[in-house]
Amino acid sequence: MTTRRSFLKAGLFTTVAGMSAAASAVPLKTPKKWDEEFDFVVIGAGAAGLVAAGHAAEAGLKVLV
């Protein structure tokens, strides 16, 4: 039986893991031209957006946060 505490721990772990995965995908230099195409665009950098970006990047999509 899953308790609420274990559920919250799993959610926190997923969020932190997603944030670290998404943070490593951020480019260090800003492109000079903005004519690139992306498969997945995340507006904002909240916990849900970063987790979604991390999963999309792991799936092989080109992601912009």
Side-chain angles (χ1 to χ4, degrees):
M1 182 169 155
T2 302
T3 64
R4 183 167 37 172
R5 180 172 292 202
S6 64
F7 177 77
L8 292 174
K9 283 182 183 178
L12 179 62
F13 176 77
T14 303
T15 301
V16 171
M19 284 182 186
S20 63
S24 64
V26 176
L28 298 177
K29 294 182 181 180
T30 305
K32 293 180 182 180
K33 294 176 77 178
W34 289 93
D35 59 351
E36 294 186 56
E37 292 186 11
F38 295 90
D39 300 317
F40 194 81
V41 177
V42 177
I43 308 296
L50 292 177
V51 170
H55 286 294
E58 287 176 353
L61 298 176
K62 187 174 179 183
V63 178
L64 173 67
V65 177

